[in-house]
Amino acid sequence: KCISIMAPASLQFMIDELLERESLPAAVAQHRYGGRIVQQLLKKCSVSQVSALAEALMQESVALAGHSFGNYSVQHLLQNGTEEQQHRLAQTITRNAETICRSRVGDGIVAAAMEHVSSEDKLSIARAVLLQPGLLVELAQGRHGHSAVLRMMQVLDGKESLQAHMSLAMGIATLRVSRYGRIVAKYLEEKALHAAVGQQQSV
């Protein structure tokens, strides 16, 4: 609460302390209460003021992305970071799609990326997920992952779109019994119905 009412310049000492040791920013970001401090600093201070802190977090972004508390700092950078920071994090997600998607909280990272990064980076992430057998169906069952998958379906086209639809269709029985997966199943069913109606009208 103190951070929210203090001027950014008055918070510099906290940033300086976090940067005293190379591993400290990531360690604090993974703490139940320390993570909230890191997030508040990223939110309250200017981009230039927290650039070194953001850089330190990005260096550990894969580990943070799969951590129950650390993932929120990465999500914050995806939502509010610079275009360069968003692009670099998107590249990290693309390179580590399987690891991040299959971590317990990684679907929140992927969902944030699919909402906030550039169109080109969204496509790269979607393609990386599609390359891993079964990963799209797994992601579609997540609390945040299902929204990421729906966004992926919007950016993929041509053969890749067809491949994604086929992958999800093969797992539709699993999706239908999943709390969040059924949302993706409904999307597929409505799209199939729409296509069928369109074909009938064209006859």
Side-chain angles (χ1 to χ4, degrees):
K1 191 174 181 179
C2 292
I3 294 177
S4 64
I5 62 174
M6 292 174 68
S10 301
L11 298 170
Q12 187 61 47
F13 78 96
M14 299 181 74
I15 298 171
D16 292 341
E17 287 190 14
L18 282 171
L19 295 172
E20 280 186 359
R21 293 206 318 271
E22 185 177 345
S23 60
L24 192 56
V28 174
Q30 293 178 73
H31 187 272
R32 178 186 295 271
Y33 303 111
R36 295 176 186 175
I37 292 173
V38 172
Q39 293 160 48
Q40 285 295 314
L41 289 172
L42 291 172
K43 180 179 179 180
K44 181 82 174 182
C45 300
S46 66
V47 171
S48 59
Q49 191 176 1
V50 294
S51 61
L53 175 59
E55 180 63 31
L57 295 172
M58 287 192 293
Q59 292 296 324
E60 301 294 333
S61 57
V62 177
L64 291 173
H67 190 274
S68 54
F69 301 123
N71 80 93
Y72 294 113
S73 293
V74 180
Q75 285 193 47
H76 182 92
L77 288 172
L78 284 165
Q79 293 163 358
N80 305 293
T82 65
E83 289 184 5
E84 180 193 2
Q85 290 167 347
Q86 291 174 330
H87 175 61
R88 288 175 58 195
L89 286 171
Q91 288 181 313
T92 297
I93 295 168
T94 299
R95 290 193 300 268
N96 300 275
E98 184 174 15
T99 298
I100 292 173
C101 289
R102 288 193 164 129
S103 67
R104 189 165 58 88
V105 293
D107 66 327
I109 298 296
V110 181
M114 290 303 298
E115 183 175 358
H116 296 285
V117 302
S118 69
S119 298
E120 292 79 6
D121 285 332
K122 288 177 184 177
L123 182 57
S124 295
I125 294 170
R127 284 171 169 167
V129 171
L130 191 58
L131 281 173
Q132 301 297 327
L135 190 56
L136 195 65
V137 174
E138 287 184 40
L139 189 62
Q141 297 174 66
R143 179 180 180 183
H144 304 289
H146 76 278
S147 65
V149 169
L150 292 175
R151 291 181 186 276
M152 289 176 186
M153 302 305 285
Q154 302 302 317
V155 300
L156 292 168
D157 60 14
K159 291 182 179 180
E160 290 173 331
S161 177
L162 179 60
Q163 182 184 347
H165 278 85
M166 289 180 63
S167 177
L168 291 171
M170 289 176 65
I172 198 156
T174 301
L175 295 176
R176 283 173 176 157
V177 297
S178 165
R179 178 179 179 182
Y180 300 105
R182 64 171 60 107
I183 298 172
V184 178
K186 183 180 179 182
Y187 163 83
L188 290 174
E189 290 161 354
E190 289 178 348
K191 194 162 185 182
L193 178 62
H194 180 75
V197 171
Q199 286 181 344
Q200 287 179 350
Q201 290 176 344
S202 65
V203 174

